mmCIF file of all heavy atoms in Angstrom:
data_model
loop_
_atom_site.group_PDB
_atom_site.id
_atom_site.type_symbol
_atom_site.label_atom_id
_atom_site.label_comp_id
_atom_site.label_asym_id
_atom_site.label_seq_id
_atom_site.Cartn_x
_atom_site.Cartn_y
_atom_site.Cartn_z
ATOM 1 N N MET A 1 0.879 -1.158 -0.027
ATOM 2 C CA MET A 1 -0.001 -0.003 -0.036
ATOM 3 C C MET A 1 0.896 1.301 -0.037
ATOM 4 O O MET A 1 1.848 1.336 0.776
ATOM 5 C CB MET A 1 -0.887 -0.045 1.216
ATOM 6 C CG MET A 1 -2.188 0.603 1.110
ATOM 7 S SD MET A 1 -3.227 0.014 -0.260
ATOM 8 C CE MET A 1 -3.698 -1.638 0.269
ATOM 9 N N SER A 2 0.574 2.183 -0.873
ATOM 10 C CA SER A 2 1.515 3.354 -0.927
ATOM 11 C C SER A 2 1.099 4.439 0.123
ATOM 12 O O SER A 2 -0.034 4.535 0.546
ATOM 13 C CB SER A 2 1.406 4.017 -2.306
ATOM 14 O OG SER A 2 0.178 4.571 -2.511
ATOM 15 N N LYS A 3 2.111 5.224 0.426
ATOM 16 C CA LYS A 3 1.888 6.266 1.439
ATOM 17 C C LYS A 3 0.898 7.314 0.980
ATOM 18 O O LYS A 3 0.196 7.882 1.778
ATOM 19 C CB LYS A 3 3.212 7.013 1.685
ATOM 20 C CG LYS A 3 4.000 6.468 2.828
ATOM 21 C CD LYS A 3 5.189 7.401 3.048
ATOM 22 C CE LYS A 3 5.803 7.180 4.360
ATOM 23 N NZ LYS A 3 7.011 8.116 4.493
ATOM 24 N N GLU A 4 0.867 7.543 -0.341
ATOM 25 C CA GLU A 4 -0.015 8.568 -0.905
ATOM 26 C C GLU A 4 -1.466 8.362 -0.551
ATOM 27 O O GLU A 4 -2.309 9.225 -0.552
ATOM 28 C CB GLU A 4 0.107 8.624 -2.424
ATOM 29 C CG GLU A 4 1.464 9.115 -2.952
ATOM 30 C CD GLU A 4 2.551 8.031 -2.774
ATOM 31 O OE1 GLU A 4 2.342 6.914 -3.226
ATOM 32 O OE2 GLU A 4 3.599 8.301 -2.172
ATOM 33 N N ARG A 5 -1.818 7.049 -0.324
ATOM 34 C CA ARG A 5 -3.210 6.737 -0.055
ATOM 35 C C ARG A 5 -3.575 6.738 1.435
ATOM 36 O O ARG A 5 -4.665 6.367 1.762
ATOM 37 C CB ARG A 5 -3.494 5.343 -0.688
ATOM 38 C CG ARG A 5 -3.347 5.387 -2.201
ATOM 39 C CD ARG A 5 -3.945 4.186 -2.850
ATOM 40 N NE ARG A 5 -5.321 4.078 -2.456
ATOM 41 C CZ ARG A 5 -6.020 2.929 -2.535
ATOM 42 N NH1 ARG A 5 -5.448 1.849 -2.985
ATOM 43 N NH2 ARG A 5 -7.288 2.888 -2.162
ATOM 44 N N ALA A 6 -2.595 7.155 2.254
ATOM 45 C CA ALA A 6 -2.902 7.211 3.722
ATOM 46 C C ALA A 6 -4.002 8.125 3.961
ATOM 47 O O ALA A 6 -3.992 9.307 3.582
ATOM 48 C CB ALA A 6 -1.620 7.618 4.413
ATOM 49 N N ASN A 7 -5.014 7.641 4.667
ATOM 50 C CA ASN A 7 -6.161 8.504 5.069
ATOM 51 C C ASN A 7 -5.806 9.088 6.436
ATOM 52 O O ASN A 7 -5.886 8.354 7.430
ATOM 53 C CB ASN A 7 -7.466 7.713 5.134
ATOM 54 C CG ASN A 7 -8.610 8.507 5.448
ATOM 55 O OD1 ASN A 7 -8.513 9.674 5.955
ATOM 56 N ND2 ASN A 7 -9.836 8.013 5.196
ATOM 57 N N LYS A 8 -5.464 10.344 6.490
ATOM 58 C CA LYS A 8 -4.992 10.960 7.742
ATOM 59 C C LYS A 8 -6.081 11.129 8.757
ATOM 60 O O LYS A 8 -5.804 11.555 9.901
ATOM 61 C CB LYS A 8 -4.340 12.302 7.414
ATOM 62 C CG LYS A 8 -3.162 12.246 6.502
ATOM 63 C CD LYS A 8 -1.919 11.704 7.183
ATOM 64 C CE LYS A 8 -0.738 11.571 6.203
ATOM 65 N NZ LYS A 8 0.510 11.674 6.774
ATOM 66 N N CYS A 9 -7.261 10.801 8.371
ATOM 67 C CA CYS A 9 -8.390 10.830 9.338
ATOM 68 C C CYS A 9 -8.587 9.501 10.089
ATOM 69 O O CYS A 9 -9.356 9.470 11.049
ATOM 70 C CB CYS A 9 -9.725 11.147 8.622
ATOM 71 S SG CYS A 9 -9.780 12.743 7.911
ATOM 72 N N ILE A 10 -7.846 8.464 9.602
ATOM 73 C CA ILE A 10 -7.977 7.140 10.255
ATOM 74 C C ILE A 10 -6.585 6.676 10.617
ATOM 75 O O ILE A 10 -5.890 6.053 9.849
ATOM 76 C CB ILE A 10 -8.694 6.109 9.313
ATOM 77 C CG1 ILE A 10 -10.011 6.661 8.765
ATOM 78 C CG2 ILE A 10 -8.911 4.805 10.075
ATOM 79 C CD1 ILE A 10 -10.683 5.754 7.791
ATOM 80 N N GLU A 11 -6.189 6.892 11.874
ATOM 81 C CA GLU A 11 -4.930 6.379 12.404
ATOM 82 C C GLU A 11 -5.124 4.889 12.680
ATOM 83 O O GLU A 11 -6.102 4.500 13.269
ATOM 84 C CB GLU A 11 -4.509 7.097 13.682
ATOM 85 C CG GLU A 11 -4.081 8.516 13.403
ATOM 86 C CD GLU A 11 -3.495 9.179 14.647
ATOM 87 O OE1 GLU A 11 -2.559 8.666 15.170
ATOM 88 O OE2 GLU A 11 -4.084 10.146 15.081
ATOM 89 N N CYS A 12 -4.105 4.052 12.423
ATOM 90 C CA CYS A 12 -4.177 2.660 12.664
ATOM 91 C C CYS A 12 -2.783 2.040 12.789
ATOM 92 O O CYS A 12 -1.912 2.386 12.058
ATOM 93 C CB CYS A 12 -5.002 1.969 11.608
ATOM 94 S SG CYS A 12 -5.133 0.195 11.884
ATOM 95 N N THR A 13 -2.632 1.138 13.769
ATOM 96 C CA THR A 13 -1.356 0.506 13.959
ATOM 97 C C THR A 13 -1.358 -1.010 13.696
ATOM 98 O O THR A 13 -0.438 -1.736 13.983
ATOM 99 C CB THR A 13 -0.897 0.681 15.451
ATOM 100 O OG1 THR A 13 -1.846 0.117 16.265
ATOM 101 C CG2 THR A 13 -0.690 2.171 15.793
ATOM 102 N N VAL A 14 -2.438 -1.451 13.039
ATOM 103 C CA VAL A 14 -2.598 -2.856 12.729
ATOM 104 C C VAL A 14 -1.864 -3.158 11.413
ATOM 105 O O VAL A 14 -2.379 -3.204 10.315
ATOM 106 C CB VAL A 14 -4.087 -3.227 12.630
ATOM 107 C CG1 VAL A 14 -4.179 -4.747 12.450
ATOM 108 C CG2 VAL A 14 -4.763 -2.836 13.893
ATOM 109 N N THR A 15 -0.518 -3.497 11.512
ATOM 110 C CA THR A 15 0.273 -3.670 10.336
ATOM 111 C C THR A 15 -0.020 -4.960 9.600
ATOM 112 O O THR A 15 0.374 -5.168 8.475
ATOM 113 C CB THR A 15 1.750 -3.622 10.687
ATOM 114 O OG1 THR A 15 2.036 -4.580 11.699
ATOM 115 C CG2 THR A 15 2.177 -2.288 11.140
ATOM 116 N N ASN A 16 -0.699 -5.849 10.222
ATOM 117 C CA ASN A 16 -1.121 -7.124 9.618
ATOM 118 C C ASN A 16 -2.254 -6.963 8.650
ATOM 119 O O ASN A 16 -2.553 -7.917 7.891
ATOM 120 C CB ASN A 16 -1.535 -8.119 10.701
ATOM 121 C CG ASN A 16 -0.421 -9.009 11.140
ATOM 122 O OD1 ASN A 16 0.757 -8.715 10.877
ATOM 123 N ND2 ASN A 16 -0.686 -10.147 11.781
ATOM 124 N N CYS A 17 -2.900 -5.833 8.623
ATOM 125 C CA CYS A 17 -4.049 -5.577 7.812
ATOM 126 C C CYS A 17 -3.594 -5.147 6.374
ATOM 127 O O CYS A 17 -2.698 -4.361 6.234
ATOM 128 C CB CYS A 17 -4.924 -4.534 8.407
ATOM 129 S SG CYS A 17 -6.397 -4.198 7.397
ATOM 130 N N ALA A 18 -4.239 -5.708 5.390
ATOM 131 C CA ALA A 18 -3.973 -5.393 3.998
ATOM 132 C C ALA A 18 -4.240 -3.965 3.652
ATOM 133 O O ALA A 18 -3.675 -3.399 2.646
ATOM 134 C CB ALA A 18 -4.808 -6.317 3.078
ATOM 135 N N HIS A 19 -5.057 -3.224 4.480
ATOM 136 C CA HIS A 19 -5.393 -1.859 4.202
ATOM 137 C C HIS A 19 -4.465 -0.907 4.903
ATOM 138 O O HIS A 19 -4.654 0.323 4.743
ATOM 139 C CB HIS A 19 -6.901 -1.590 4.585
ATOM 140 C CG HIS A 19 -7.887 -2.467 3.868
ATOM 141 N ND1 HIS A 19 -7.944 -2.514 2.514
ATOM 142 C CD2 HIS A 19 -8.860 -3.271 4.365
ATOM 143 C CE1 HIS A 19 -8.903 -3.319 2.157
ATOM 144 N NE2 HIS A 19 -9.397 -3.826 3.204
ATOM 145 N N HIS A 20 -3.589 -1.434 5.714
ATOM 146 C CA HIS A 20 -2.637 -0.489 6.483
ATOM 147 C C HIS A 20 -1.601 0.079 5.498
ATOM 148 O O HIS A 20 -1.111 -0.587 4.565
ATOM 149 C CB HIS A 20 -1.915 -1.350 7.551
ATOM 150 C CG HIS A 20 -1.126 -0.492 8.502
ATOM 151 N ND1 HIS A 20 0.221 -0.259 8.293
ATOM 152 C CD2 HIS A 20 -1.458 0.199 9.588
ATOM 153 C CE1 HIS A 20 0.693 0.506 9.244
ATOM 154 N NE2 HIS A 20 -0.316 0.791 10.014
ATOM 155 N N CYS A 21 -1.289 1.336 5.669
ATOM 156 C CA CYS A 21 -0.140 1.960 4.884
ATOM 157 C C CYS A 21 1.129 1.625 5.536
ATOM 158 O O CYS A 21 1.396 1.996 6.656
ATOM 159 C CB CYS A 21 -0.360 3.497 4.876
ATOM 160 S SG CYS A 21 -1.699 3.976 3.728
ATOM 161 N N CYS A 22 1.925 0.947 4.804
ATOM 162 C CA CYS A 22 3.155 0.306 5.256
ATOM 163 C C CYS A 22 4.003 1.167 6.262
ATOM 164 O O CYS A 22 4.225 0.681 7.335
ATOM 165 C CB CYS A 22 4.019 -0.099 4.094
ATOM 166 S SG CYS A 22 3.153 -1.127 2.911
ATOM 167 N N ASP A 23 4.469 2.262 5.806
ATOM 168 C CA ASP A 23 5.434 3.040 6.649
ATOM 169 C C ASP A 23 4.663 3.991 7.581
ATOM 170 O O ASP A 23 5.318 4.543 8.544
ATOM 171 C CB ASP A 23 6.313 3.869 5.763
ATOM 172 C CG ASP A 23 7.139 2.935 4.815
ATOM 173 O OD1 ASP A 23 7.415 1.763 5.247
ATOM 174 O OD2 ASP A 23 7.456 3.394 3.736
ATOM 175 N N ASP A 24 3.463 4.247 7.320
ATOM 176 C CA ASP A 24 2.712 5.182 8.118
ATOM 177 C C ASP A 24 1.605 4.443 8.928
ATOM 178 O O ASP A 24 1.122 3.456 8.477
ATOM 179 C CB ASP A 24 1.961 6.191 7.218
ATOM 180 C CG ASP A 24 2.809 7.448 6.998
ATOM 181 O OD1 ASP A 24 3.740 7.662 7.738
ATOM 182 O OD2 ASP A 24 2.450 8.182 6.075
ATOM 183 N N ASP A 25 1.329 4.999 10.077
ATOM 184 C CA ASP A 25 0.328 4.370 10.906
ATOM 185 C C ASP A 25 -1.103 4.934 10.593
ATOM 186 O O ASP A 25 -1.727 5.596 11.400
ATOM 187 C CB ASP A 25 0.579 4.434 12.374
ATOM 188 C CG ASP A 25 1.654 3.447 12.872
ATOM 189 O OD1 ASP A 25 1.747 2.434 12.189
ATOM 190 O OD2 ASP A 25 2.238 3.680 13.914
ATOM 191 N N TYR A 26 -1.458 4.689 9.338
ATOM 192 C CA TYR A 26 -2.775 5.165 8.940
ATOM 193 C C TYR A 26 -3.428 4.024 8.050
ATOM 194 O O TYR A 26 -2.747 3.206 7.514
ATOM 195 C CB TYR A 26 -2.593 6.398 8.016
ATOM 196 C CG TYR A 26 -2.220 7.656 8.757
ATOM 197 C CD1 TYR A 26 -0.950 8.047 8.702
ATOM 198 C CD2 TYR A 26 -3.127 8.320 9.521
ATOM 199 C CE1 TYR A 26 -0.477 9.154 9.419
ATOM 200 C CE2 TYR A 26 -2.709 9.466 10.243
ATOM 201 C CZ TYR A 26 -1.407 9.839 10.170
ATOM 202 O OH TYR A 26 -0.983 10.952 10.873
ATOM 203 N N CYS A 27 -4.739 4.116 7.936
ATOM 204 C CA CYS A 27 -5.494 3.221 7.054
ATOM 205 C C CYS A 27 -5.513 3.802 5.638
ATOM 206 O O CYS A 27 -5.416 5.061 5.522
ATOM 207 C CB CYS A 27 -6.937 3.169 7.626
ATOM 208 S SG CYS A 27 -7.981 2.019 6.710
ATOM 209 N N SER A 28 -5.658 3.014 4.660
ATOM 210 C CA SER A 28 -5.722 3.554 3.295
ATOM 211 C C SER A 28 -7.133 3.594 2.709
ATOM 212 O O SER A 28 -7.346 4.059 1.590
ATOM 213 C CB SER A 28 -4.873 2.670 2.379
ATOM 214 O OG SER A 28 -5.378 1.311 2.313
ATOM 215 N N LEU A 29 -8.089 3.127 3.505
ATOM 216 C CA LEU A 29 -9.453 3.160 3.013
ATOM 217 C C LEU A 29 -10.076 4.575 3.202
ATOM 218 O O LEU A 29 -9.550 5.339 4.035
ATOM 219 C CB LEU A 29 -10.360 2.123 3.835
ATOM 220 C CG LEU A 29 -9.942 0.708 3.702
ATOM 221 C CD1 LEU A 29 -10.802 -0.197 4.578
ATOM 222 C CD2 LEU A 29 -10.063 0.250 2.218
ATOM 223 N N ASP A 30 -11.094 4.874 2.419
ATOM 224 C CA ASP A 30 -11.842 6.148 2.613
ATOM 225 C C ASP A 30 -12.646 6.182 3.848
ATOM 226 O O ASP A 30 -12.779 7.181 4.510
ATOM 227 C CB ASP A 30 -12.827 6.373 1.387
ATOM 228 C CG ASP A 30 -12.049 6.596 0.144
ATOM 229 O OD1 ASP A 30 -10.828 6.976 0.180
ATOM 230 O OD2 ASP A 30 -12.600 6.391 -0.935
ATOM 231 N N SER A 31 -13.115 5.028 4.275
ATOM 232 C CA SER A 31 -13.894 4.917 5.495
ATOM 233 C C SER A 31 -13.773 3.468 6.040
ATOM 234 O O SER A 31 -13.407 2.546 5.217
ATOM 235 C CB SER A 31 -15.375 5.206 5.259
ATOM 236 O OG SER A 31 -15.961 4.340 4.408
ATOM 237 N N ILE A 32 -14.067 3.262 7.300
ATOM 238 C CA ILE A 32 -14.016 1.910 7.858
ATOM 239 C C ILE A 32 -15.303 1.728 8.696
ATOM 240 O O ILE A 32 -16.028 2.689 9.006
ATOM 241 C CB ILE A 32 -12.822 1.738 8.822
ATOM 242 C CG1 ILE A 32 -12.824 2.742 9.939
ATOM 243 C CG2 ILE A 32 -11.523 1.775 8.001
ATOM 244 C CD1 ILE A 32 -11.844 2.392 11.097
ATOM 245 N N LYS A 33 -15.522 0.460 9.020
ATOM 246 C CA LYS A 33 -16.665 0.108 9.906
ATOM 247 C C LYS A 33 -16.168 -0.386 11.218
ATOM 248 O O LYS A 33 -15.287 -1.307 11.182
ATOM 249 C CB LYS A 33 -17.580 -0.891 9.190
ATOM 250 C CG LYS A 33 -18.800 -1.222 10.003
ATOM 251 C CD LYS A 33 -19.730 -2.162 9.197
ATOM 252 C CE LYS A 33 -21.080 -2.341 9.925
ATOM 253 N NZ LYS A 33 -21.987 -3.163 9.140
ATOM 254 N N VAL A 34 -16.612 0.126 12.269
ATOM 255 C CA VAL A 34 -16.218 -0.361 13.675
ATOM 256 C C VAL A 34 -17.344 -1.025 14.306
ATOM 257 O O VAL A 34 -18.493 -0.558 14.193
ATOM 258 C CB VAL A 34 -15.660 0.828 14.515
ATOM 259 C CG1 VAL A 34 -15.352 0.404 15.915
ATOM 260 C CG2 VAL A 34 -14.454 1.491 13.866
ATOM 261 N N GLY A 35 -17.092 -2.152 14.989
ATOM 262 C CA GLY A 35 -18.117 -2.863 15.657
ATOM 263 C C GLY A 35 -17.529 -3.406 17.032
ATOM 264 O O GLY A 35 -16.467 -2.986 17.467
ATOM 265 N N THR A 36 -18.347 -4.329 17.522
ATOM 266 C CA THR A 36 -17.934 -4.927 18.833
ATOM 267 C C THR A 36 -18.281 -6.435 18.792
ATOM 268 O O THR A 36 -19.214 -6.852 18.151
ATOM 269 C CB THR A 36 -18.609 -4.303 20.024
ATOM 270 O OG1 THR A 36 -18.084 -4.866 21.250
ATOM 271 C CG2 THR A 36 -20.082 -4.368 19.958
ATOM 272 N N HIS A 37 -17.478 -7.185 19.570
ATOM 273 C CA HIS A 37 -17.706 -8.669 19.681
ATOM 274 C C HIS A 37 -18.378 -8.896 21.094
ATOM 275 O O HIS A 37 -18.543 -10.032 21.471
ATOM 276 C CB HIS A 37 -16.402 -9.400 19.584
ATOM 277 C CG HIS A 37 -15.350 -8.914 20.430
ATOM 278 N ND1 HIS A 37 -14.405 -7.899 20.073
ATOM 279 C CD2 HIS A 37 -14.979 -9.241 21.731
ATOM 280 C CE1 HIS A 37 -13.614 -7.648 21.112
ATOM 281 N NE2 HIS A 37 -13.942 -8.435 22.095
ATOM 282 N N GLU A 38 -18.619 -7.823 21.823
ATOM 283 C CA GLU A 38 -19.198 -7.974 23.176
ATOM 284 C C GLU A 38 -20.688 -7.541 23.129
ATOM 285 O O GLU A 38 -21.117 -6.761 22.279
ATOM 286 C CB GLU A 38 -18.494 -7.002 24.147
ATOM 287 C CG GLU A 38 -16.994 -7.139 24.192
ATOM 288 C CD GLU A 38 -16.579 -8.245 25.128
ATOM 289 O OE1 GLU A 38 -17.372 -8.777 25.843
ATOM 290 O OE2 GLU A 38 -15.319 -8.565 25.135
ATOM 291 N N CYS A 39 -21.442 -8.112 24.076
ATOM 292 C CA CYS A 39 -22.889 -7.743 24.104
ATOM 293 C C CYS A 39 -23.046 -6.405 24.899
ATOM 294 O O CYS A 39 -23.978 -5.676 24.749
ATOM 295 C CB CYS A 39 -23.750 -8.814 24.684
ATOM 296 S SG CYS A 39 -23.161 -9.393 26.315
ATOM 297 N N ASP A 40 -22.004 -6.080 25.744
ATOM 298 C CA ASP A 40 -22.100 -4.910 26.535
ATOM 299 C C ASP A 40 -20.668 -4.256 26.609
ATOM 300 O O ASP A 40 -20.046 -4.326 27.639
ATOM 301 C CB ASP A 40 -22.640 -5.205 27.961
ATOM 302 C CG ASP A 40 -22.808 -3.964 28.825
ATOM 303 O OD1 ASP A 40 -22.928 -2.853 28.228
ATOM 304 O OD2 ASP A 40 -22.784 -4.097 30.074
ATOM 305 N N PRO A 41 -20.212 -3.625 25.499
ATOM 306 C CA PRO A 41 -18.868 -3.088 25.473
ATOM 307 C C PRO A 41 -18.607 -1.989 26.537
ATOM 308 O O PRO A 41 -19.466 -1.087 26.633
ATOM 309 C CB PRO A 41 -18.736 -2.525 24.034
ATOM 310 C CG PRO A 41 -20.113 -2.349 23.550
ATOM 311 C CD PRO A 41 -20.979 -3.371 24.260
ATOM 312 N N THR A 42 -17.494 -2.051 27.256
ATOM 313 C CA THR A 42 -17.201 -1.071 28.270
ATOM 314 C C THR A 42 -15.781 -0.473 28.090
ATOM 315 O O THR A 42 -15.479 0.480 28.853
ATOM 316 C CB THR A 42 -17.274 -1.758 29.680
ATOM 317 O OG1 THR A 42 -16.446 -2.897 29.678
ATOM 318 C CG2 THR A 42 -18.686 -2.130 29.978
ATOM 319 N N GLU A 43 -14.919 -1.053 27.239
ATOM 320 C CA GLU A 43 -13.543 -0.551 27.081
ATOM 321 C C GLU A 43 -13.203 -0.545 25.608
ATOM 322 O O GLU A 43 -13.825 -1.189 24.831
ATOM 323 C CB GLU A 43 -12.582 -1.457 27.832
ATOM 324 C CG GLU A 43 -12.827 -1.616 29.328
ATOM 325 C CD GLU A 43 -11.851 -2.592 29.898
ATOM 326 O OE1 GLU A 43 -10.655 -2.246 30.173
ATOM 327 O OE2 GLU A 43 -12.193 -3.795 30.045
ATOM 328 N N ASP A 44 -12.105 0.192 25.337
ATOM 329 C CA ASP A 44 -11.739 0.293 23.908
ATOM 330 C C ASP A 44 -11.388 -1.075 23.301
ATOM 331 O O ASP A 44 -11.670 -1.355 22.161
ATOM 332 C CB ASP A 44 -10.540 1.278 23.687
ATOM 333 C CG ASP A 44 -9.345 0.891 24.515
ATOM 334 O OD1 ASP A 44 -9.427 -0.010 25.348
ATOM 335 O OD2 ASP A 44 -8.303 1.578 24.366
ATOM 336 N N ARG A 45 -10.897 -1.964 24.114
ATOM 337 C CA ARG A 45 -10.509 -3.337 23.608
ATOM 338 C C ARG A 45 -11.764 -4.189 23.299
ATOM 339 O O ARG A 45 -11.538 -5.266 22.771
ATOM 340 C CB ARG A 45 -9.547 -4.047 24.556
ATOM 341 C CG ARG A 45 -10.164 -4.364 25.917
ATOM 342 C CD ARG A 45 -9.177 -5.003 26.802
ATOM 343 N NE ARG A 45 -9.706 -5.176 28.187
ATOM 344 C CZ ARG A 45 -8.983 -5.555 29.268
ATOM 345 N NH1 ARG A 45 -7.676 -5.809 29.040
ATOM 346 N NH2 ARG A 45 -9.516 -5.719 30.350
ATOM 347 N N CYS A 46 -12.900 -3.683 23.617
ATOM 348 C CA CYS A 46 -14.129 -4.434 23.317
ATOM 349 C C CYS A 46 -14.527 -4.154 21.833
ATOM 350 O O CYS A 46 -15.423 -4.781 21.313
ATOM 351 C CB CYS A 46 -15.250 -4.021 24.219
ATOM 352 S SG CYS A 46 -15.000 -4.335 25.917
ATOM 353 N N THR A 47 -13.838 -3.164 21.173
ATOM 354 C CA THR A 47 -14.309 -2.822 19.835
ATOM 355 C C THR A 47 -13.315 -3.357 18.825
ATOM 356 O O THR A 47 -12.208 -3.682 19.122
ATOM 357 C CB THR A 47 -14.364 -1.297 19.667
ATOM 358 O OG1 THR A 47 -13.033 -0.750 19.880
ATOM 359 C CG2 THR A 47 -15.346 -0.749 20.703
ATOM 360 N N ASP A 48 -13.848 -3.536 17.576
ATOM 361 C CA ASP A 48 -13.010 -4.118 16.509
ATOM 362 C C ASP A 48 -13.194 -3.352 15.216
ATOM 363 O O ASP A 48 -14.277 -2.719 14.954
ATOM 364 C CB ASP A 48 -13.510 -5.529 16.188
ATOM 365 C CG ASP A 48 -13.572 -6.414 17.414
ATOM 366 O OD1 ASP A 48 -12.504 -6.764 18.002
ATOM 367 O OD2 ASP A 48 -14.712 -6.705 17.891
ATOM 368 N N CYS A 49 -12.169 -3.340 14.382
ATOM 369 C CA CYS A 49 -12.316 -2.783 13.065
ATOM 370 C C CYS A 49 -12.866 -3.966 12.159
ATOM 371 O O CYS A 49 -12.189 -4.966 11.913
ATOM 372 C CB CYS A 49 -10.981 -2.304 12.474
ATOM 373 S SG CYS A 49 -11.191 -1.782 10.752
ATOM 374 N N LEU A 50 -14.096 -3.741 11.670
ATOM 375 C CA LEU A 50 -14.742 -4.789 10.892
ATOM 376 C C LEU A 50 -14.380 -4.740 9.404
ATOM 377 O O LEU A 50 -14.702 -5.537 8.570
ATOM 378 C CB LEU A 50 -16.250 -4.639 10.957
ATOM 379 C CG LEU A 50 -16.806 -4.839 12.439
ATOM 380 C CD1 LEU A 50 -18.323 -4.675 12.428
ATOM 381 C CD2 LEU A 50 -16.326 -6.100 13.053
ATOM 382 N N SER A 51 -13.510 -3.672 9.018
ATOM 383 C CA SER A 51 -13.005 -3.640 7.739
ATOM 384 C C SER A 51 -11.557 -4.292 7.592
ATOM 385 O O SER A 51 -11.003 -4.325 6.507
ATOM 386 C CB SER A 51 -12.835 -2.156 7.347
ATOM 387 O OG SER A 51 -14.067 -1.501 7.395
ATOM 388 N N PHE A 52 -11.124 -4.905 8.709
ATOM 389 C CA PHE A 52 -9.809 -5.581 8.692
ATOM 390 C C PHE A 52 -9.846 -6.677 7.670
ATOM 391 O O PHE A 52 -10.797 -7.439 7.471
ATOM 392 C CB PHE A 52 -9.600 -6.218 10.033
ATOM 393 C CG PHE A 52 -8.374 -7.099 10.087
ATOM 394 C CD1 PHE A 52 -7.105 -6.603 10.299
ATOM 395 C CD2 PHE A 52 -8.514 -8.442 9.900
ATOM 396 C CE1 PHE A 52 -5.982 -7.456 10.296
ATOM 397 C CE2 PHE A 52 -7.383 -9.271 9.898
ATOM 398 C CZ PHE A 52 -6.141 -8.854 10.115
ATOM 399 N N LYS A 53 -8.704 -6.832 6.935
ATOM 400 C CA LYS A 53 -8.486 -7.818 5.953
ATOM 401 C C LYS A 53 -7.089 -8.341 6.076
ATOM 402 O O LYS A 53 -6.121 -7.586 6.048
ATOM 403 C CB LYS A 53 -8.724 -7.272 4.547
ATOM 404 C CG LYS A 53 -8.733 -8.362 3.464
ATOM 405 C CD LYS A 53 -9.022 -7.695 2.169
ATOM 406 C CE LYS A 53 -8.685 -8.585 1.010
ATOM 407 N NZ LYS A 53 -8.611 -7.889 -0.256
ATOM 408 N N MET A 54 -6.917 -9.607 6.286
ATOM 409 C CA MET A 54 -5.633 -10.222 6.430
ATOM 410 C C MET A 54 -4.734 -9.972 5.216
ATOM 411 O O MET A 54 -5.186 -10.055 4.091
ATOM 412 C CB MET A 54 -5.731 -11.730 6.647
ATOM 413 C CG MET A 54 -4.473 -12.419 6.987
ATOM 414 S SD MET A 54 -4.000 -12.207 8.671
ATOM 415 C CE MET A 54 -2.933 -13.603 8.918
ATOM 416 N N LYS A 55 -3.493 -9.609 5.468
ATOM 417 C CA LYS A 55 -2.559 -9.371 4.361
ATOM 418 C C LYS A 55 -2.326 -10.606 3.587
ATOM 419 O O LYS A 55 -2.231 -11.711 4.092
ATOM 420 C CB LYS A 55 -1.177 -8.895 4.933
ATOM 421 C CG LYS A 55 -0.959 -7.501 4.829
ATOM 422 C CD LYS A 55 0.425 -7.178 5.320
ATOM 423 C CE LYS A 55 0.631 -5.642 5.366
ATOM 424 N NZ LYS A 55 1.834 -5.275 6.134
HETATM 425 S S1 SF4 E 1 -9.179 -1.558 7.705
HETATM 426 FE FE1 SF4 E 1 -9.141 -1.276 9.975
HETATM 427 S S2 SF4 E 1 -7.418 -2.586 10.690
HETATM 428 FE FE2 SF4 E 1 -7.179 -2.373 8.584
HETATM 429 S S3 SF4 E 1 -5.768 -0.619 8.312
HETATM 430 FE FE3 SF4 E 1 -7.857 0.163 8.121
HETATM 431 S S4 SF4 E 1 -8.413 0.869 10.230
HETATM 432 FE FE4 SF4 E 1 -6.600 -0.545 10.406
#
């Protein structure tokens, strides 16, 4: 993924994701979907990026 496509509105450190910008900690997508795997989320770790795609 090229740096030019880094979406500066979406910071991300998940380097295993195919949408991650290699050298920059940003997502390359125009938008993402966030969800949860919990029935009653109470902390940031309860949430997930549902746009994640394995490299
Ligand atoms: S799709 Fe989600 S996990 Fe993947 S780089 Fe973008 S924000 Fe990060």
Side-chain angles (χ1 to χ4, degrees):
M1 211 53 72
S2 70
K3 266 185 164 181
E4 293 75 51
R5 297 196 53 200
N7 184 342
K8 300 285 178 151
C9 294
I10 308 175
E11 290 187 59
C12 181
T13 59
V14 185
T15 55
N16 266 16
C17 180
H19 300 305
H20 187 266
C21 283
C22 305
D23 301 329
D24 268 345
D25 279 341
Y26 292 100
C27 182
S28 64
L29 297 177
D30 291 337
S31 65
I32 60 166
K33 184 173 186 177
V34 176
T36 182
H37 53 272
E38 306 277 351
C39 54
D40 184 21
T42 55
E43 301 176 81
D44 56 355
R45 64 183 174 190
C46 298
T47 63
D48 308 290
C49 176
L50 300 180
S51 302
F52 172 85
K53 186 178 166 195
M54 185 77 157
K55 257 184 188 168

